[in-house]
Amino acid sequence: AFMLADEDKSGSIDLNELEKMMQWLGQAPAPYEVRQIMREYDDDGDGTLNFQEFLNLIHENAKPKADAEELKEIFSAFDSDGSGSVKTDDLKTILQTVGDPLTNSEWKDLIGG
């Protein structure tokens, strides 16, 4: 998750990247909420979250376990046609939307093709 959120590959997550990550996770934070989270978890005060600070954020805000209904809802977001499975085209679209586009070689390695 850290590597996906760190879009510019700087080794840290800035305010914009944090906001995008939260939106990707289904939240709609107000700008002041993103700034508040950054202030709370940016232990070294550099205005970004390094990997350890990110882990602290995730650890303190992680839900103990998702219930079955929540898992179905998450899965349905990836199951675009309601077939009960995630097609490789859907997965490719999701991965390209979230992070850097994969090369054909990387894509083949990922799906074992």
Side-chain angles (χ1 to χ4, degrees):
F2 182 84
M3 291 172 32
L4 292 175
D6 182 17
E7 292 180 332
D8 63 4
K9 308 302 180 220
S10 65
S12 61
I13 298 172
D14 63 24
L15 275 173
N16 291 330
E17 292 167 332
L18 179 60
E19 182 176 16
K20 285 180 185 178
M21 180 190 73
M22 293 175 71
Q23 291 169 347
W24 178 66
L25 294 171
Q27 300 177 12
Y32 78 89
E33 292 173 308
V34 179
R35 288 190 304 273
Q36 181 179 356
I37 290 168
M38 182 65 76
R39 278 193 303 274
E40 184 175 343
Y41 291 95
D42 178 20
D43 296 332
D44 60 12
D46 67 354
T48 65
L49 298 179
N50 62 37
F51 185 67
Q52 185 59 54
E53 293 164 338
F54 174 78
L55 288 179
N56 294 341
L57 167 66
I58 298 301
H59 177 73
E60 290 181 23
N61 293 284
K63 294 181 179 179
K65 289 187 180 179
D67 62 24
E69 192 60 37
E70 196 171 11
L71 290 173
K72 285 180 188 177
E73 186 177 322
I74 292 168
F75 182 82
S76 70
F78 298 111
D79 180 17
S80 64
D81 64 0
S83 66
S85 63
V86 177
K87 293 183 175 52
T88 55
D89 288 341
D90 294 335
L91 181 59
K92 190 173 186 178
T93 299
I94 292 163
L95 292 174
Q96 288 176 330
T97 304
V98 173
D100 290 332
L102 299 173
T103 65
N104 286 337
S105 176
E106 291 170 327
W107 177 246
K108 287 178 183 177
D109 288 343
L110 180 67
I111 61 169

